[in-house]
Amino acid sequence: MTAKAPTGRVSRRRVRTRANLLDAAFAVFAAKGFGRVSIEEVCESAGYSRGAFYSNFDSLDELFFALYGQRADLIAEQVTTALAADGPGLDVPAAVERVTEVLLLDRDWLLVKTDFLVHAARDPAVARTLLEHRARLRRAIADRLARARGHTALPAVLGDADEAAHAVVAAYDGVTTQLLLDRDVAGARVWLGQLLTALLTDGSTRH
């Protein structure tokens, strides 16, 4: 017997349930730490049963990757939009300015992501999946740098566009680690701008 396709109302309800579980999990992870939260606590915070959880996610790891995917997509969109404004070339200092103005620097998310990074470091399978998710942002940056390569000179020490993208993401990681400790978002944006300008140019801010 063939199962019936879900109705529009059921589909919308499931989408809403999933979104509510993600929102509740994010709040609980940020407050308590990823490794200290149970499925039951996420369900209680969202107001759903374990059945509702398991109809959407197999595990807390899978739920985290759904959260990570949301934010990776957002950051990739922010970066690519900021880098796309110059046409085929790339005015690096101006692009860096735009990126640092809009880039997501949310301390609660950084807390959750850092907790999960430690968890992934102890589990090779989870680490592989996390590396794949991280690569999405790097690819978005590398694609834009590669398109600008014939019009915009990048420091030779960075090698190709992929290596340059690795350096950009490493700078972002360093700035966000500092942000966890000093809670200075404005300072983090300034520092990120300085690091990216130094990486991608001769260090000057001339346009």
Side-chain angles (χ1 to χ4, degrees):
M1 184 176 177
T2 305
K4 293 181 180 179
T7 65
R9 180 166 26 168
V10 170
S11 296
R12 286 194 297 271
R13 183 166 65 241
R14 181 164 185 171
V15 167
R16 187 168 59 249
T17 299
R18 182 181 175 87
N20 289 342
L21 283 166
L22 287 169
D23 288 345
F26 177 72
V28 177
F29 289 163
K32 295 187 174 183
F34 176 84
R36 300 179 184 86
V37 173
S38 65
I39 289 173
E40 287 76 9
E41 287 175 290
V42 171
C43 293
E44 182 180 349
S45 178
Y48 293 118
S49 66
R50 285 174 61 92
F53 180 95
Y54 284 114
S55 70
N56 287 277
F57 305 103
D58 289 334
S59 65
L60 288 176
D61 284 359
E62 185 182 332
L63 184 151
F64 172 82
F65 282 125
L67 283 173
Y68 196 100
Q70 285 179 346
R71 280 154 181 80
D73 288 345
L74 173 60
I75 292 170
E77 181 183 353
Q78 290 171 332
V79 169
T80 52
T81 299
L83 294 180
D86 296 318
L90 189 62
D91 181 341
V92 173
V96 165
E97 229 174 85
R98 291 193 300 271
V99 167
T100 54
E101 281 176 3
V102 302
L103 193 60
L104 178 70
L105 289 174
D106 176 63
R107 190 172 179 276
D108 282 345
W109 169 241
L110 297 175
L111 284 169
V112 174
K113 187 178 73 167
T114 302
D115 279 340
F116 194 80
L117 178 63
V118 174
H119 166 64
R122 294 189 172 97
D123 186 326
V126 178
R128 282 193 297 272
T129 305
L130 183 57
L131 285 170
E132 290 166 7
H133 278 73
R134 283 173 59 83
R136 294 163 82 175
L137 173 60
R138 211 166 50 241
R139 282 196 299 270
I141 297 169
D143 287 349
R144 180 63 185 100
L145 293 176
R147 289 198 302 275
R149 198 65 188 247
H151 307 268
T152 304
L154 295 174
V157 70
L158 291 177
D160 60 16
D162 286 334
E163 291 301 316
H166 269 279
V168 168
V169 173
Y172 175 71
D173 285 342
V175 167
T176 54
T177 298
Q178 183 66 26
L179 176 59
L180 283 174
L181 301 175
D182 64 22
R183 302 170 182 254
D184 182 1
V185 175
R189 292 195 187 281
V190 171
W191 188 29
L192 182 60
Q194 292 170 341
L195 282 176
L196 294 182
T197 299
L199 273 172
L200 300 176
T201 69
D202 61 2
S204 75
T205 57
R206 293 191 305 273
H207 288 229

